[in-house]
Amino acid sequence: MKLTLPALLLANAVNHASAVDLAGFTLTSDVAEHSEIDLDLRDLTASLTSGNTAEALAGYNDGYGNSVKGSGSVRNLKGFTSTAKKTGEWDYSLQVGAGYATTWADDYTVAQISDTALTPATVTYATKWNNVKTYVLHELIDAVNDYEAGNTSNNEDAVKAWDEGWAFFAGSAQTTAGATGYSLFQDIKTVSTGFVHQYGQPINDKILAKYIAGQTILAATPDAAKIAELTKIVEDIHALTNAAAIMHLYSNTAVTTPTDENKANAKVFAKVLYPELAACSKGDAAVLLSNVITADSDSFLTEGFAAGVLAPFVNNMQCLKILCDTIGANSGLDIPITACTTNPLPPAVTSLDIAGYITGSDVRQHNAVDRDILRIGNFIKGGDFVNAYKVYSEGWNSAKTSSMRNLRGFSFGAESKLARVVPSFAQYKSYWGDNAEFADSNIASMLTGSLATSIESDTAKKEMILKGIVSESIYMYTLREFYDAIDDCEAGTIAENDAGVHAWDEGVAFYTGSQVTDAGHWSNGHSLYTLANKRCSNFGTCDDDHAHGNSNVNIELFELFETGRNALLANSQNCAGALDILGKVESKMLVPNVQGMLRYAWKNSKEGAGDKERAEGWAFARNVLPKMAACEAVSAEQLATVRVGMEYEETNRGADFVYDYEKIYRAAEAAYGCLGITCVDVGDLTVGGGGCTGDACPVGTTCQYVAPDNGGGEVDGGGGGAAPTIDDDGNLEMGVGVAILGAAVIVLAGGMMGYSWGQKQAKTKFTKLLNVGNNQLGGDL
């Protein structure tokens, strides 16, 4: 006779012992009734096999009577989809963020049970992997919360929630690892059989080891380090379970001629995995969606297994936190699978192609930080600002030598990272009330809810957070890397950290992001490169019919990136030439923010403009205003026009305020010469590119700035600004200037200083440029 867990506990009670072994894990609390929910899975299969759909639905909704709670009520599988319990937990937040309904798991399982065309096995898979899997994670998260709160003896003489997690995962029938059970443990054991792992450790063994490690921590006094370690263990268990789901998906799609059951099973596992993949790569998630989830029988795997299923997961193993060996290889499938090599990454590479720019160093990890933006955004869409802030402040995708690179690090502690390196940083710091952490103060406060303002709209917060990360934090830190490359050049350490122009490569990596596969495939990106392409369609400044394709800004920038890299290479070491190029880079990088500000200045003047439009406009304006404020050509009135008109909170608007987008346009244009940009760079709003609506864009949105004569009888076409002059007080007016200090001629980049510098100030900057590398910054980001 097969002994179930309750029978074992009853026998054990004779000796007054409280510990019992379930599939290799020693339970220290009474979770016998919890474990018996697996018998509902058994009975659900039996109901479906007999064709009794009504009985199956009743058993799912009300329970089969196998698992009774302490209150006397019957535990049921429907209860595992409780929205109240799952809200705020990261898997559920990503599901909602990926577009799933808040009640999706229950809705999906009920639909599966009701579909008589599906096999009992497919329906049981759906119930286990949607309902039980998500509730196991709930119990583990609850255990961490209990531990952090000091409730290590919650209900029992151990953290009962941890034991409950294992009880639901294994089930009462899985008394030993070799027994035949009905829950997730058995499913994982079965699917793992055909997969060969390099180190010969099946997934269940790895999951068991994690549970034991967590149990050890729970026996110790809580502290911050142990809480962090326990949280990491839960994340690992979640990732390992996802790895098993991927194995199931592979097993049903690496098939020469998939059966209807293969297709149905594949849809179940793809549905489980899609939100996790969607938080790693929009493009790869879309491939899985079209090839499996939304595909009908005829369009199933249109792109084939390798491109339609395998590649989307292989491309994202690091983000999914799954080591390639965890899944391993399977030669027994119709389409054999070899172990991937994407996590951990192969040894360092000597170069990387970033949208056509060939690096001289390995910046793969730097390049991947853009994926954090996607994950943050999906958490926010799921209403989960807590986990969004965790990714922002701790990182997820971009590994450093001993920790994770995080987006908050781009602006938190900015004084030490940016003040000495980026000349224009002083303009931003000054404009924001001498606040060196102006970007992080804005972003972090909205993520944590500590912002002392009237911003209550989650929609507004989402736009300001995501666009602020790109337009302020990444923008400024990208410049930091470029200027740091100049520092390295002057100091003779251009190969700092790596072979090649490492800091310059990092700047290009941050600017572009990992999701831009080439110049023609940018729509899935999240960083400055993609921002430029989105705005060029609005303003007719794209290379393909002006409304589509790659932006002129990106085309020009990548030419400058290559020229700057070549100037910095060891065989040239033209530091002054690279600095001149960098001035043009900084001017061009600002253009998409100017375009964004102007687009939303017009949109906000229209009836029906709401939180989204006002928040987006303010996010772009925040990066343009400090530059404008440093321009002598911009009057105080013009600056106030832009600030008052664009600011989200409207705190400076009087009762008689009338929104005038044209005044904002003209005020912005007053700064163009100082910023080193022209109408050719910015363009005009277009109907075809979605810049405005109607038959034609208003005349007021047409750029009216006339670039100054460059001194040679020609109008400067953009990027350079006015030629330098010395005023009566001996002050150097900076455009693309040549500062003559003693006998030295130093090229100072256009747009770098938007205001007059006295000779003493210019000499100070000149001295800083010559002394680059003498005081290197710590904390390589």
Side-chain angles (χ1 to χ4, degrees):
M1 181 182 72
K2 184 166 87 173
L3 287 176
T4 62
L5 179 60
L8 289 172
L9 286 172
L10 180 62
N12 202 46
V14 175
N15 297 317
H16 306 286
S18 59
V20 64
D21 183 282
L22 179 63
F25 181 73
T26 302
L27 300 164
T28 57
S29 55
D30 185 357
V31 291
E33 290 290 343
H34 302 76
S35 73
E36 291 204 297
I37 195 67
D38 69 325
L39 302 181
D40 276 26
L41 291 167
R42 176 200 63 189
D43 294 346
L44 176 67
T45 302
S47 296
L48 293 167
T49 301
S50 66
N52 195 337
T53 303
E55 182 181 82
L57 283 169
Y60 168 77
N61 288 319
D62 303 322
Y64 282 93
N66 295 303
S67 179
V68 180
K69 298 180 180 180
S71 63
S73 61
V74 175
R75 185 174 284 105
N76 58 74
L77 290 163
K78 178 185 177 72
F80 280 15
T81 65
S82 168
T83 300
K85 292 184 178 181
K86 289 301 298 180
T87 297
E89 295 181 356
W90 80 75
D91 62 323
Y92 179 77
S93 298
L94 290 181
Q95 290 160 7
V96 177
Y100 288 11
T102 55
T103 58
W104 83 272
D106 180 49
D107 296 342
Y108 185 72
T109 304
V110 168
Q112 296 288 101
I113 294 172
S114 304
D115 188 344
T116 56
L118 298 176
T119 67
T122 297
V123 176
T124 307
Y125 278 144
T127 311
K128 275 186 266 193
W129 289 88
N130 287 314
N131 300 48
V132 179
K133 175 179 179 287
T134 195
Y135 206 76
V136 167
L137 183 60
H138 165 72
E139 292 293 358
L140 300 184
I141 292 173
D142 187 42
V144 175
N145 293 337
D146 286 345
Y147 184 63
E148 187 171 8
N151 296 330
T152 53
S153 298
N154 194 25
N155 299 327
E156 295 285 338
D157 59 350
V159 179
K160 188 177 181 182
W162 195 260
D163 284 352
E164 290 174 0
W166 182 261
F168 293 140
F169 173 76
S172 64
Q174 199 76 54
T175 52
T176 65
T180 300
Y182 306 111
S183 196
L184 292 166
F185 188 104
Q186 179 64 42
D187 270 11
I188 295 173
K189 182 175 66 172
T190 300
V191 78
S192 296
T193 303
F195 288 83
V196 179
H197 314 282
Q198 181 180 353
Y199 301 107
Q201 188 179 32
I203 288 183
N204 274 338
D205 289 354
K206 293 183 178 182
I207 292 175
L208 175 60
K210 295 293 181 182
Y211 267 92
I212 293 171
Q215 188 179 59
T216 300
I217 293 173
L218 291 169
T221 303
D223 60 36
K226 292 186 180 67
I227 292 166
E229 187 179 356
L230 187 63
T231 300
K232 177 64 168 57
I233 288 172
V234 174
E235 291 173 353
D236 290 345
I237 291 171
H238 180 63
L240 287 166
T241 311
N242 284 337
I246 293 172
M247 287 179 174
H248 271 293
L249 180 60
Y250 287 176
S251 297
N252 283 282
T253 51
V255 180
T256 305
T257 307
T259 64
D260 288 343
E261 185 171 20
N262 286 144
K263 294 174 183 178
N265 290 345
K267 286 177 179 290
V268 167
F269 292 104
K271 184 82 173 178
V272 170
L273 293 163
Y274 176 79
E276 304 287 336
L277 192 61
C280 294
S281 168
K282 288 195 298 184
D284 286 321
V287 170
L288 181 69
L289 188 72
S290 63
N291 277 271
V292 180
I293 298 174
T294 60
D296 58 24
S297 184
D298 293 332
S299 62
F300 186 79
L301 285 184
T302 300
E303 297 179 63
F305 168 71
V309 173
L310 184 65
F313 288 99
V314 169
N315 293 343
N316 295 281
M317 286 300 184
Q318 181 175 333
C319 176
L320 294 169
K321 306 300 182 186
I322 299 172
L323 292 173
C324 288
D325 177 62
T326 300
I327 294 175
N330 191 330
S331 60
L333 298 171
D334 290 355
I335 304 172
I337 298 171
T338 57
C340 65
T341 58
T342 51
N343 191 30
L345 287 175
V349 296
T350 56
S351 66
L352 185 70
D353 186 335
I354 302 178
Y357 172 90
I358 306 302
T359 71
S361 58
D362 189 351
V363 290
R364 288 174 296 176
Q365 292 295 342
H366 306 76
N367 205 208
V369 77
D370 67 321
R371 292 170 178 257
D372 282 11
I373 302 171
L374 175 62
R375 192 173 185 84
I376 291 168
N378 280 17
F379 273 131
I380 294 174
K381 289 177 187 176
D384 190 345
F385 286 82
V386 173
N387 277 306
Y389 178 73
K390 183 177 180 181
V391 176
Y392 172 68
S393 59
E394 298 178 15
W396 186 262
N397 289 286
S398 181
K400 297 164 69 172
T401 303
S402 58
S403 62
M404 296 301 294
R405 183 175 288 102
N406 63 79
L407 289 163
R408 190 183 189 203
F410 282 24
S411 53
F412 183 72
E415 186 74 42
S416 64
K417 298 170 185 174
L418 301 170
R420 186 188 61 81
V421 184
V422 182
S424 56
F425 173 75
Q427 299 170 358
Y428 287 82
K429 177 183 174 183
S430 174
Y431 183 83
W432 295 114
D434 203 36
N435 179 8
E437 296 177 355
F438 56 89
D440 179 62
S441 297
N442 184 52
I443 296 164
S445 58
M446 283 187 287
L447 281 168
T448 59
S450 62
L451 192 63
T453 70
S454 58
I455 300 176
E456 297 179 355
S457 165
D458 283 355
T459 297
K461 289 178 183 177
K462 170 181 170 288
E463 297 299 336
M464 284 190 276
I465 289 166
L466 298 180
K467 287 178 172 58
I469 288 172
V470 175
S471 295
E472 292 189 89
S473 295
I474 294 181
Y475 171 88
M476 188 60 67
Y477 206 83
T478 295
L479 288 176
R480 187 259 184 194
E481 294 296 353
F482 289 142
Y483 278 106
D484 188 44
I486 306 295
D487 282 11
D488 291 341
C489 182
E490 291 286 350
T493 57
I494 201 63
E496 188 80 7
N497 299 330
D498 221 331
V501 191
H502 191 58
W504 192 268
D505 289 346
E506 288 175 359
V508 178
F510 291 141
Y511 177 85
T512 312
S514 64
Q515 298 302 286
V516 178
T517 54
D518 58 61
H521 296 82
W522 54 266
S523 60
N524 293 319
H526 312 288
S527 197
L528 293 159
Y529 188 102
T530 297
L531 170 62
N533 281 349
K534 287 182 177 179
R535 296 287 80 87
C536 80
S537 63
N538 304 147
F539 284 81
T541 55
C542 305
D543 68 336
D544 180 9
D545 74 15
H546 304 297
H548 303 90
N550 198 8
S551 72
N552 294 335
V553 164
N554 281 336
I555 293 170
E556 293 169 14
L557 276 174
F558 270 68
E559 291 174 355
L560 292 169
F561 290 162
E562 291 183 6
T563 306
R565 175 202 61 202
N566 294 340
L568 292 168
L569 290 173
N571 59 354
S572 55
Q573 291 274 307
N574 182 2
C575 308
L579 180 59
D580 181 30
I581 292 164
L582 181 49
K584 298 172 185 176
V585 166
E586 185 164 357
S587 293
K588 295 295 182 186
M589 281 177 57
L590 192 65
V591 170
N593 287 284
V594 173
Q595 291 173 324
M597 181 181 78
L598 296 181
R599 184 194 185 212
Y600 286 96
W602 177 79
K603 287 176 75 73
N604 287 333
S605 70
K606 308 301 291 180
E607 185 177 350
D611 291 338
K612 183 179 186 298
E613 291 79 11
R614 292 190 296 122
E616 290 195 71
W618 179 229
F620 291 124
R622 280 182 58 88
N623 199 40
V624 178
L625 280 165
K627 286 278 196 179
M628 291 182 62
C631 293
E632 285 189 342
V634 179
S635 68
E637 181 182 357
Q638 288 173 317
L639 192 66
T641 295
V642 177
R643 174 69 183 258
V644 175
M646 299 305 300
E647 189 165 16
Y648 175 82
E649 297 173 83
E650 306 175 350
T651 54
N652 298 323
R653 298 180 182 179
D656 58 347
F657 174 82
V658 177
Y659 198 100
D660 190 335
Y661 71 85
E662 191 168 357
K663 283 186 177 180
I664 295 175
Y665 271 64
R666 302 294 84 82
E669 288 168 14
Y672 282 8
C674 162
L675 299 177
I677 62 177
T678 68
C679 291
V680 174
D681 296 319
V682 177
D684 299 321
L685 278 181
T686 66
V687 174
C692 56
T693 55
D695 296 330
C697 294
V699 175
T701 64
T702 302
C703 186
Q704 299 176 15
Y705 167 72
V706 178
D709 190 297
N710 65 8
E714 299 177 357
V715 174
D716 188 346
T725 59
I726 304 293
D727 67 16
D728 293 337
D729 296 323
N731 291 328
L732 183 66
E733 302 285 355
M734 300 304 300
V736 171
V738 179
I740 303 176
L741 304 173
V745 179
I746 305 299
V747 179
L748 294 172
M752 209 161 57
M753 335 286 184
Y755 47 88
S756 296
W757 281 76
Q759 287 181 327
K760 180 177 179 181
Q761 291 169 302
K763 184 176 180 181
T764 299
K765 176 58 193 167
F766 171 52
T767 302
K768 288 181 180 179
L769 289 173
L770 289 183
N771 286 329
V772 290
N774 291 340
N775 184 23
Q776 293 296 311
L777 297 176
D780 175 40
L781 278 169

